[in-house]
Amino acid sequence: CHHRGRNHELANQAQEEEEELTSLHSHIGPKGGHVCTVWGLQRRLASRDLARPLGTAVFMTPKEARVPRSLNVLMNELGSLPRTIVLLHIAYLDEPFVSESE
């Protein structure tokens, strides 16, 4: 059932967000801490424990306002993120853009 799957997905997101808060509040070092929300990413970037060389990186994210795992890998394994980060989410609508009369 769609609703059961969606509820499971929301429960997983809530758990990830709780883990994010715990790791941010425990001041885990540069190789620790997983962020899953834009708010968590902003907090991590503000902590200044990451190298921020000039450059831009675009990360595709499957969910709006969520941080993709690939960004976490770079952040935690390399201890570095480019100075400009773009999170790109593409949403599809099931609405025709041409009216039926045309």
Side-chain angles (χ1 to χ4, degrees):
C1 179
H2 170 74
H3 294 293
R4 185 175 15 179
R6 181 70 177 136
N7 288 339
H8 181 69
E9 181 180 2
L10 292 174
N12 284 343
Q13 285 182 2
Q15 182 179 353
E16 285 179 342
E17 291 169 9
E18 183 67 32
E19 290 169 3
E20 173 184 84
L21 281 174
T22 301
S23 81
L24 288 171
H25 289 300
S26 68
H27 304 292
I28 293 174
K31 287 212 174 205
H34 171 83
V35 296
C36 58
T37 64
V38 172
W39 177 84
L41 178 60
Q42 290 171 331
R43 294 279 308 250
R44 182 73 190 274
L45 295 175
S47 72
R48 301 193 180 274
D49 64 348
L50 296 169
R52 302 294 308 279
L54 288 175
T56 301
V58 178
F59 295 90
M60 295 285 294
T61 182
K63 296 183 177 118
E64 189 175 356
R66 303 289 288 183
V67 175
R69 294 185 189 277
S70 57
L71 187 145
N72 277 287
V73 169
L74 283 176
M75 179 172 58
N76 292 323
E77 296 301 318
L78 300 178
S80 174
L81 283 176
R83 201 161 293 168
T84 303
I85 298 168
V86 177
L87 299 179
L88 177 61
H89 170 72
I90 299 173
Y92 296 93
L93 299 176
D94 285 334
E95 297 177 16
F97 61 91
V98 177
S99 68
E100 289 185 27
S101 65
E102 293 180 19

